[in-house]
Amino acid sequence: MNGAQALIRTLVDAGVDVCFANPGTSEMHFVAALDDVPGMRGVLTLFEGVATGAADGWARMTGRPAATLLHLGPGLGNGLANLHNARRGRTPVVNVVGDHARSHKRLDAPLESDVDSLAGTVSGWVRRTLAPEDVGADAADAVAAAGRGQVATLVLPADVSWSDGAAVAGPPPPWSRPVPPQHRVDEVAAVLASGEPVVLLLGGDVLAGEDGQLAASAVAGATGVRLLAETFPARWVRGAGLPDIGKLPYPPEVAMKSLAGTRHLVLAGAVPPVHFFGYPGVPGTPVPADCSVHVLSEPGEDGVAALRALAELAAPGAAPQPVEASRPELPAGRLTPRAVSAVVGALLPERAVVVDEAITSGVGIAELTSGAPRHDWLSLTGGAIGDGLPMAVGAAVACPDRPVLVLQADGSAMYTLQALWTMAREQLDVTVVLYDNGSYAILQGELARVGATGGGERAGQLLDIGGPALDFVALATGTGVPATRAETVEELADQLRTAFREPGPHLVQAVLRPAG
Amino acid sequence: MNGAQALIRTLVDAGVDVCFANPGTSEMHFVAALDDVPGMRGVLTLFEGVATGAADGWARMTGRPAATLLHLGPGLGNGLANLHNARRGRTPVVNVVGDHARSHKRLDAPLESDVDSLAGTVSGWVRRTLAPEDVGADAADAVAAAGRGQVATLVLPADVSWSDGAAVAGPPPPWSRPVPPQHRVDEVAAVLASGEPVVLLLGGDVLAGEDGQLAASAVAGATGVRLLAETFPARWVRGAGLPDIGKLPYPPEVAMKSLAGTRHLVLAGAVPPVHFFGYPGVPGTPVPADCSVHVLSEPGEDGVAALRALAELAAPGAAPQPVEASRPELPAGRLTPRAVSAVVGALLPERAVVVDEAITSGVGIAELTSGAPRHDWLSLTGGAIGDGLPMAVGAAVACPDRPVLVLQADGSAMYTLQALWTMAREQLDVTVVLYDNGSYAILQGELARVGATGGGERAGQLLDIGGPALDFVALATGTGVPATRAETVEELADQLRTAFREPGPHLVQAVLRPAG
C-alpha cells in the first residue's frame, strides 16, 4: 500500500470522507488513489480559496473535519484567507498539502517555499510526514487535532505518497468538550442574583444547537439577564421555536451603546468582544470600563452543559421563551437592502442553510428572519472576505437535502467567484442573492469612521467598483450557473421562488444602486 | 504630516510611483493620502493576487519596484502566490501591508494573524514600522531592499498611518549589480578552449536586455559553445536582430536529452537547472553526472559585463549572429495549439510585451516567434499559476505605448480572472488569447509522468475542468472586457487583428477541444 492510499483510508476511517481538492503534480498519487478508496469523495475546485472555504462550510454543518488537497506553498497561500476564517470560527479542517519529493527538496526548484512556516500561521497543528510508514498515524493525529476545533495541516512529500510500505491507522479516540467546573456556574448564579444589569453573551457551541439557547432563554425569563449573540457566529441555529436573540452589533459606536450600563458580562461559548478594528480615540472594546467579565464557558468547552447547570441553579423549572412563527410582509417597488432582507424573511424555505456575507447590505436581516422557519446561519467569522460562496459549496455538499441560500455582497463575491463553477459541476442546491451596490460600501463608511481626511476623487476611486459595472449574470452564466437580474422587489421575489423550487444552483443579481 | 503621507511621498521620491491596491479599513489613511500626493498612481484590483502579480509585471518592465497595498494577513495571503513568482524571478516589489493599530494588536480581533511570519515566507526583507517618525526611513529601506531583486514587505499599523509626526526620507543611494571577478571569466575562457562540449545557459539580467545576448552570440559563433536560455525567464528581449536561442525544455526527459553529452555547463545569470518536480527513478536535475558546472555570473551580478569580458577574451572581434526577420505563414482550418502559435508568430505586433502562461498549449511558440519583430517575453517564473493576467495589467500600466499579449491557459486563468476588470477599468491595451482545452492538461501528463497507477474515472474527474465548460466570453464580458470566440485559424486571426488594432482590452477564447 502506498502512502497516498494509506492516508486516504485513514481519513475515511476517521470520518473525513470528503476532500475539496485543487491538485498539482505533487498530489497526483493522492488523486490516483481516489480510485482505490471509494469512501472518499473528491470535489474539484478551481481555486484553493474555494477548497478551504468549502471545507469550512462542510465542517460547520457536520461537526467533522473535511480534508483539503492543496499544491505546495502557493496552493496553501491561495487557501490561507479562508483557513483564517476557519481558525477564527474554530472549525475543524484537515489540510493535506503536497510538497516536493524528499530528494527534491534541497534542489530549490521553482515551486520550493517554506510550506511549514506558512502553514503555521493558520494551523493549530502542523506536521511534515517524513516516511511512508508514518503517514497513517500522522493522518490520524491530524484528524484528532482538527477535532479540537482547529486547522490541522499535514505536509505530504510526493515520494511519501508514491512509496510503498504505508499502513492505515485506526481512527483517533473519541473526544468531547470538557464540562466547565461547577464553581463558574455558582459564580454566574451569584452575579444573576445581584440585581445589577447583566448581559449573557452566547457564542460557539451554544449557538450551534438548540439546547443551550433554550436553557439561556429560561435563565433570561427567570432572572431578567439580557441575551446577546456574538457578532459573527460560525453556526447559529435560529428561527421560530427558538428564543429571539439579538446580535452584538458590528459598528463600534453601536456596539458600545448596546452594552452601555452593563455591570456584568457573562460569556458562554463566546470570547470577550472587541471591535473589529481600532479607531482614533475609541476604546478597543465595547465592554464598559466598570463592567466585570465572567466566563461561564470558553469556546472549546461544553457551554451547553454549563447553561443547563446554570438554568437548574438560577431558574429551576423556568421555561424558555421561544419566538412564534412569523414572516414579514413582502414589500413592493424599488430594491433597497432592507427590502431584500424582507423578501428573504418572507420566502426563506424550511430548513435552509443561510450563508451570510452580505456585509453592509444585510440591513435588518436578523430581525426580519427571526420568526422564519428553523434554519442555520453561517457568518464570516474571521473577516477575510470571500468565504460566502465557498462555504455554500461545503454546506450544500454536507446537507444535500437542505436548500442553501447565500447572501453575498458584490465586492467580496469577486474574491472566490470560482465557487460558482463547483456549484454547477456538483449541481448543488444553492441560491445566491448577489447584492450589487457597485462599491466597497463598507470602506466608504470606514473611511469616515477612521477620521481620514480627504475622501477626494482619487481616494474615492479606490472604493468604487462600479466602473466598469460587474455583470454578475454574465459571470455566473460563464461558470454554468443560471442567473437573473432583479431591479424590483417583485422581480426578486419571483426569481427567488423559482430558484428555491428548481434543483441546482441559481444566482440572482439584486441591483441596489440607482439606475445610472 | 501623518504616516501615510510620509510613506507615499518617500516612495514616490524613490521612484515607486504606482501602487496596485486592494485596501481595507486599516489602509484607509493610505487611501486618503493618495489625494495629497499626486505623484502616486493608485490602481484598484478586485483581488490581492491581481495586485501582487501586477506589481511583478510592472517591475519586470520598468526595472523599478511597484508598491502593493494589502489588507492584513488574509490580504497578504491572497497575494502570496504571485509574490512567490516575483521572488523566484528576483523581481523587486514593495508590499505595504496594513495591520491593526498598535493598541488594538493585543486584543486578538477577528482579523488578527501573524502577518510578519507570513511575510517572511516570500520576502527577502520584512519590517514592522513601530512609530510614525520611522515610517519614512523604513519605506526608503524597503525600496533599497527591493532594488536588490527581492520582495520587501513593510507592515504598517493603522495608527502609524493616521498619526502625525512623520517625515519624508530621501531616496536610497543608487545601487548597481556587482561585476563578477575576472578569474571567473578566465576560467570560462579556458573551458571554451578545451574543445569539449559546452553549453552556456543564459538567464536573469542577460536575457532581459540585448547586449548580453549579443555578446554570448559572438562567443558562440567563435567557439562553438551552444547557447540555451533558462526555462522560465522573468523577462526575455527577443525577436529579429537578436540571436535565436533555444530554451532548456520543461519536461524532464526532454531537458535531459537536451543536455546529454554536455561536459561543461556555464551559467550566466542563470541558476543550475533542476527539474520542476521530482519523479520516481529520475534524477533531480537534467545536468549529466559527469558535467562540470561553472558560474560566470550569478543572478544578482552583472552578467552582461561578464559576457562582454568573455567575448573580448574568447572571441575578440567576433560578430553576433542575429536571426533575420521572418514570420510563419498563417495556417488554415482547425485550431490546434501549434496553429495558435503560428497565428501569434504571424501577427505579433511591433514592440509587443508577451505574457506567457500558456502552460501546455504553447506548442512551438518560441520557434514560431523567434523572427518576429522585437518583443519582450515574460514567463511564469515560480510555477504558481495565475500570474498571466495580473502581470499583463502591470506590464500595460508600465508600458502604455506598447501592446501587451497574454497567452493564457484556461485552468490558470481562473485563478486571477479578476485582473480583466482592472484591464477594463484602466483601459489597458491588452489582448488575451485564452486557450480553452477544458482541462488541467499539464496534470494529465504529470499523472502519467509520476507513474501514478489508476488514472480511473474518479482521478480523471479531478483533472477535467470541462464539466461544465467555462464560457470565457461571458466571463470577460461580465468584467467589462469585450470578448469573442474563435474555433478556426481564420476566426482567430481576424479577431486578433481587431484586438491589436483597437485600443483597450480584448479577450479571444481559442477553442482547442473537439466540438462535443
Side-chain angles (χ1 to χ4, degrees), chain B residues 73 128 140 190 199:
Chain B
R128 172 178 290 272
V199 165

Side-chain angles (χ1 to χ4, degrees), chain A residues 2 5 21-26 28-29 31-48 69 71-75 77-78 80-81 84 87-88 100-101 103-104 107-114 117-118 121 158 162 232 250 272 274-281 283-285 381-385 411 414-418 421 424-425 440 442-444 446-447 450-472 474-480, chain B residues 2 5 21-26 28-29 31-48 69 71-75 77-78 80-81 84 87-88 100-101 103-104 107-114 117-118 121 158 162 232 250 272 274-281 283-285 381-385 411 414-418 421 424-425 440 442-444 446-447 450-472 474-480:
Chain A
N2 72 25
Q5 291 160 337
N22 214 204
T25 296
S26 39
M28 283 299 101
H29 282 84
V31 169
L34 287 177
D35 280 299
D36 303 322
V37 190
M40 177 67 84
R41 176 176 178 186
V43 176
L44 179 62
T45 66
L46 296 184
F47 182 69
E48 290 86 354
L69 181 65
H71 185 47
L72 296 107
N78 285 335
L80 216 65
H84 171 86
R87 177 170 79 89
R88 283 291 166 177
H100 285 303
S103 61
H104 211 67
L107 296 181
D108 198 34
L111 269 166
E112 179 60 38
S113 70
D114 186 352
S117 294
L118 187 55
T121 65
W162 78 52
F232 295 100
Y250 168 89
V274 302
H275 299 316
F276 226 72
F277 297 104
Y279 300 93
T285 158
T381 49
I385 59 175
M414 288 305 293
Y415 273 62
T416 46
L417 201 73
Q418 306 93 335
W421 181 84
R425 180 183 185 83
Y440 287 126
I442 192 169
L443 295 185
Q444 293 168 339
E446 296 287 320
L447 188 67
V450 299
T453 55
E457 188 190 354
R458 288 152 50 84
Q461 280 168 0
L462 284 194
L463 310 181
D464 160 38
I465 62 173
L470 289 158
D471 178 349
F472 284 95
L475 290 167
T477 307
T479 64
Chain B
N2 71 25
Q5 292 161 333
N22 215 203
T25 297
S26 39
M28 283 299 101
H29 283 83
V31 169
L34 287 176
D35 280 298
D36 304 321
V37 190
M40 176 67 83
R41 176 176 178 185
V43 176
L44 179 63
T45 66
L46 296 185
F47 182 69
E48 289 86 353
L69 182 64
H71 184 47
L72 297 105
N78 285 335
L80 216 67
H84 171 87
R87 177 171 78 90
R88 284 291 165 176
H100 284 303
S103 61
H104 211 67
L107 297 181
D108 197 35
L111 269 165
E112 179 60 38
S113 71
D114 186 353
S117 293
L118 187 56
T121 66
W162 78 50
F232 296 100
Y250 168 89
V274 301
H275 299 316
F276 226 70
F277 297 103
Y279 300 94
T285 158
T381 48
I385 59 175
M414 287 306 292
Y415 274 61
T416 47
L417 201 73
Q418 306 94 334
W421 180 84
R425 182 183 182 83
Y440 287 127
I442 192 168
L443 294 185
Q444 292 168 339
E446 296 285 322
L447 187 67
V450 299
T453 55
E457 188 189 353
R458 288 152 49 84
Q461 281 169 357
L462 285 194
L463 310 180
D464 161 37
I465 62 172
L470 289 159
D471 178 349
F472 284 97
L475 290 168
T477 307
T479 64

Side-chain angles (χ1 to χ4, degrees), chain A residues 103-189:
Chain A
S103 61
H104 211 67
K105 192 74 181 160
R106 66 175 176 78
L107 296 181
D108 198 34
L111 269 166
E112 179 60 38
S113 70
D114 186 352
V115 181
D116 310 68
S117 294
L118 187 55
T121 65
V122 286
S123 310
W125 183 99
V126 181
R127 191 177 297 165
R128 170 178 292 270
T129 295
L130 299 174
E133 48 270 31
D134 295 341
V135 70
D138 286 351
D141 286 354
V143 176
R148 268 70 174 164
Q150 53 190 358
V151 175
T153 301
L154 183 65
V155 182
L156 183 69
D159 60 331
V160 168
S161 266
W162 78 52
S163 296
D164 284 330
V168 178
W175 179 85
S176 52
R177 294 164 175 269
V179 176
Q182 181 65 30
H183 73 81
R184 288 202 228 146
V185 178
D186 298 340
E187 175 192 327
V188 171

Side-chain angles (χ1 to χ4, degrees), chain B residues 75-229:
Chain B
L76 177 59
N78 285 335
L80 216 67
N82 280 336
L83 292 172
H84 171 87
N85 288 320
R87 177 171 78 90
R88 284 291 165 176
R90 296 168 193 273
T91 311
V93 175
V94 173
N95 296 311
V96 177
V97 182
D99 198 9
H100 284 303
R102 289 166 294 175
S103 61
H104 211 67
K105 191 77 181 157
R106 67 175 175 78
L107 297 181
D108 197 35
L111 269 165
E112 179 60 38
S113 71
D114 186 353
V115 181
D116 311 67
S117 293
L118 187 56
T121 66
V122 286
S123 310
W125 183 99
V126 181
R127 190 177 297 165
R128 172 178 290 272
T129 295
L130 299 174
E133 47 270 31
D134 295 339
V135 70
D138 286 350
D141 286 354
V143 176
R148 267 70 172 165
Q150 55 190 359
V151 174
T153 301
L154 184 65
V155 182
L156 184 68
D159 60 330
V160 169
S161 267
W162 78 50
S163 296
D164 283 331
V168 178
W175 178 84
S176 51
R177 295 164 173 270
V179 176
Q182 182 65 29
H183 72 81
R184 291 204 224 143
V185 178
D186 297 339
E187 175 192 325
V188 170
V191 165
L192 294 178
S194 70
E196 294 184 315
V198 185
V199 165
L200 178 52
L201 184 67
L202 309 179
D205 66 314
V206 173
L207 295 177
E210 303 187 355
D211 292 358
Q213 295 185 66
L214 292 169
S217 175
V219 170
T223 67
V225 62
R226 186 157 68 102
L227 302 184
L228 279 178

Side-chain angles (χ1 to χ4, degrees), chain B residues 204-275:
Chain B
D205 66 314
V206 173
L207 295 177
E210 303 187 355
D211 292 358
Q213 295 185 66
L214 292 169
S217 175
V219 170
T223 67
V225 62
R226 186 157 68 102
L227 302 184
L228 279 178
E230 62 185 350
T231 310
F232 296 100
R235 181 183 179 186
W236 189 3
V237 179
R238 59 196 297 276
L242 285 172
D244 186 11
I245 301 171
K247 275 210 292 193
L248 182 66
Y250 168 89
E253 61 279 11
V254 190
M256 287 189 287
K257 198 169 163 191
S258 171
L259 291 183
T262 303
R263 290 284 291 118
H264 300 276
L265 179 67
V266 177
L267 304 173
V271 294
V274 301
H275 299 316

